[in-house]
Amino acid sequence: VIIYNNLIQAYAEEIAIEKRHKRQTKTLFPNAPSSVDTMMDTKCKDFIEKAISLIQNMERSDRNGEFPRPDNFTYCSMCNLLAKVGNSEAAILSESYLRNVDGYDTPTWNAAISAWTSLCTIDGARRANELLNELEQSLNDAHGADDLTQGPNSLTYHTVISGWTRASLIGDSDYAATKAEHILHQMITNLKSKVPNAEYRFSPNVIAFSS
């Protein structure tokens, strides 16, 4: 399982590198031929397909009662990979993997939320916000709030705030900015709640205020 998970993480890093190269190429060579972009996108698609193939092999083994079987870290690694892609297809796919984890595993949910916020659109930020709301509801479970590996934490809120600020556009009547500020106030209000470990889950940092 560790080998499979590390391979998925490696493909995620390769995608991040290709995306970074693409941004640099557009900055340094704005008139570069479109074939360069196509080549980079093809590489990313190849890495995604390889990662999906790995996870499908693991799920097949699991159905047959064999090893290796995917664990929460497997799905978290896959959601992290898809968050680096930055399109709606990847975000939808990340959410499908999200439903395979045990409970409301915080790192995996944060990764899937990041996949939506990486779209830098109102729809992406809205879906990320809906997943945050679902995570908050999980804290109503008698045992959910005590487990720091389950439910939302400060990073969850910071990611959603980032999603709204990145979706903010001139002429949107402050819609996205208002949503971002609402999440910030929500964190501050939740700090006064009786939820166990409230300070860990809800404390906004300077980046949240700066956003």
Side-chain angles (χ1 to χ4, degrees), residues 16-171:
I17 290 169
E18 288 300 323
K19 289 290 182 179
R20 187 160 59 247
H21 285 173
K22 186 174 181 178
R23 287 193 298 270
Q24 291 171 345
T25 300
K26 285 187 175 181
T27 301
L28 297 173
F29 308 103
N31 297 320
S34 58
S35 59
V36 175
D37 274 357
T38 303
M39 180 184 68
M40 292 180 178
D41 289 338
T42 300
K43 282 186 178 180
C44 286
K45 184 179 179 182
D46 185 46
F47 293 136
I48 295 168
E49 289 175 350
K50 286 179 177 179
I52 290 174
S53 177
L54 288 175
I55 209 167
Q56 286 176 341
N57 286 341
M58 297 178 80
E59 289 174 334
R60 193 178 302 114
S61 295
D62 192 16
R63 286 193 298 271
N64 294 334
E66 301 169 352
F67 293 96
R69 297 174 180 175
D71 56 17
N72 281 2
F73 196 80
T74 308
Y75 292 115
C76 182
S77 298
M78 194 66 194
C79 288
N80 274 321
L81 179 150
L82 294 166
K84 298 179 188 301
V85 176
N87 62 38
S88 56
E89 290 83 1
I92 292 168
L93 185 56
S94 75
E95 194 169 334
S96 72
Y97 286 121
L98 179 63
R99 303 301 172 177
N100 291 328
V101 301
D102 296 326
Y104 289 87
D105 181 65
T106 305
T108 311
W109 277 73
N110 285 351
I113 286 172
S114 181
W116 282 108
T117 61
S118 68
L119 303 185
C120 301
T121 64
I122 293 294
D123 286 342
R126 186 179 291 122
R127 184 57 190 154
N129 210 143
E130 289 169 354
L131 291 177
L132 170 61
N133 292 341
E134 188 175 341
L135 269 184
E136 286 191 315
Q137 286 297 316
S138 74
L139 295 179
N140 295 329
D141 182 356
H143 305 290
D146 293 320
D147 188 348
L148 292 181
T149 68
Q150 300 282 316
N153 62 10
S154 57
L155 178 59
T156 318
Y157 289 91
H158 295 157
T159 303
V160 177
I161 289 172
S162 172
W164 283 117
T165 57
R166 291 160 72 186
S168 181
L169 296 171
I170 295 172

Side-chain angles (χ1 to χ4, degrees), residues 171-191:
D172 72 354
S173 302
D174 301 329
Y175 175 77
T178 301
K179 288 287 189 179
E181 189 171 354
H182 173 74
I183 298 295
L184 180 61
H185 288 301
Q186 192 175 331
M187 295 181 76
I188 296 169
T189 300
N190 287 346
L191 272 174

